[in-house]
Amino acid sequence: MGLVIDTSALVVLERAGSRWEHLVSSFAAESLAMPAIVYAEILVGVFLAGSAERATRRRARLDALADLVPIVEFDRQVAAVWADVFATLSRAGTMIPANDLAVAATALHLDYGVCVGPADERHFLAVPGLRVETLPG
């Protein structure tokens, strides 16, 4: 069993004043992974930080998490799952944001669930066969 971490889960932890590494201990029985798109979304926060000090702090947090949790690339296999899920959701008329679709495809490719914050839960619940673990908001 395992979980991929969605950006929304990291945002919930940050707003609660918890360290991102808390996820590792909270889900000790599960393997964790971070989709490359989640790494990119968090990295945007580094580039948009209002000061060099804030950017440095954000980058250190991201690096600390990436040292604990492997980053999963969006490769050909994940892309094939993405396309399949896109087609399924499109036919059902229940599209979700493209980045969330990439997170879901990564999870399905690995046969993992996804750990999300409550604001994004509905996106992931729309994906057939995807186990969703929602952090309390």
Side-chain angles (χ1 to χ4, degrees):
M1 290 183 64
L3 289 171
V4 298
I5 302 167
D6 181 54
T7 306
S8 62
L10 298 175
V11 170
V12 164
L13 288 172
E14 184 170 353
R15 289 183 178 158
S18 297
R19 296 181 56 83
W20 291 342
E21 297 86 347
H22 176 73
L23 277 176
V24 176
S25 59
S26 296
F27 293 101
E30 307 238 29
S31 296
L32 295 177
M34 184 179 357
I37 192 63
V38 170
Y39 183 85
E41 287 178 337
I42 297 299
L43 197 55
V44 166
V46 173
F47 293 126
L48 293 178
S51 69
E53 178 184 320
R54 191 172 199 191
T56 300
R57 269 195 326 269
R58 286 180 175 176
R59 184 58 185 251
R61 289 186 73 188
L62 180 56
D63 288 345
L65 182 61
D67 286 343
L68 295 172
V69 178
I71 297 171
V72 180
E73 301 300 327
F74 190 90
D75 61 13
R76 290 171 65 166
Q77 290 80 24
V78 176
V81 175
W82 187 97
D84 182 45
V85 174
F86 181 98
T88 298
L89 294 177
S90 182
R91 282 193 288 278
T94 56
M95 291 306 298
I96 65 174
N99 288 356
D100 289 347
L101 185 56
V103 172
T106 302
L108 290 169
H109 168 70
L110 295 172
D111 198 25
Y112 281 16
V114 62
C115 179
V116 302
D120 279 355
E121 177 184 45
R122 65 182 167 78
H123 296 154
F124 293 99
L125 290 173
V127 179
L130 181 62
R131 178 173 60 100
V132 179
E133 297 287 336
T134 307
L135 294 179

